[in-house]
Amino acid sequence: MGKKEPIVHPNSVNMIASSTAFTGDLKTDTDIKFDGTFDGKLVTKGKLVLGESGQIKGEVYCKTAFISGKIDGRVFVDEIITLHSSSRIDGDITTSKIAIEPGAIFNGICKMTNEQTKTNRIEEKETSGS
């Protein structure tokens, strides 16, 4: 018997509540809204929404990101990252586009990519296994 691939619904969203703490590696094909505490590596082929109470320590790989909480670590975004006024990032960002609202705190280096040099970091991360 062949292994069945799970059906992914395009409007699926994983939601992690503010009372949730998670340590380890998290990989998903869908969007994720995170209000809890996370320590590890987060990989999503979709959008990351980090709420004001959300905190991530580690590495983040995603297609797009809307950050209102705190990240301590490296962030790799294929398309655009938006840092809302309540956000704080202590770490480096690699992205194609960045939007920073007044009041946001960003301590690190931002490396901008363009369409000619952009590689899909999410796919690369999945195939490298690291």
Side-chain angles (χ1 to χ4, degrees):
M1 279 191 190
K3 185 178 175 183
K4 281 191 169 186
E5 291 294 319
I7 297 172
V8 177
H9 298 283
N11 294 328
S12 296
V13 176
N14 292 298
M15 298 181 78
I16 310 297
S18 60
S19 60
T20 303
F22 184 85
T23 301
D25 294 342
L26 179 62
K27 178 182 163 188
T28 181
D29 290 338
T30 61
D31 296 346
I32 187 165
K33 172 139 179 19
F34 209 96
D35 290 314
T37 303
F38 179 78
D39 189 354
K41 180 171 53 175
L42 173 64
V43 179
T44 177
K45 290 183 181 179
K47 170 176 49 179
L48 167 66
V49 177
L50 184 65
E52 285 189 32
S53 64
Q55 297 182 33
I56 295 176
K57 183 176 182 179
E59 290 187 344
V60 174
Y61 298 83
C62 60
K63 184 176 179 181
T64 59
F66 298 90
I67 310 301
S68 296
K70 298 178 182 176
I71 297 178
D72 185 3
R74 297 185 301 169
V75 182
F76 301 89
V77 181
D78 280 343
E79 294 179 2
I80 185 168
I81 182 170
T82 302
L83 305 182
H84 295 285
S85 61
S86 60
S87 68
R88 178 182 181 111
I89 294 185
D90 292 305
D92 298 342
I93 297 173
T94 302
T95 187
S96 296
K97 297 175 188 170
I98 188 168
I100 303 176
E101 291 182 355
I105 299 171
F106 171 46
N107 296 307
I109 296 170
C110 183
K111 180 179 178 184
M112 303 296 291
T113 60
N114 60 33
E115 290 305 313
Q116 287 78 32
T117 61
K118 179 181 153 186
T119 60
N120 189 326
R121 288 170 287 278
I122 297 166
E123 295 293 332
E124 193 175 275
K125 193 65 181 166
E126 288 179 344
T127 57
S128 70
S130 56

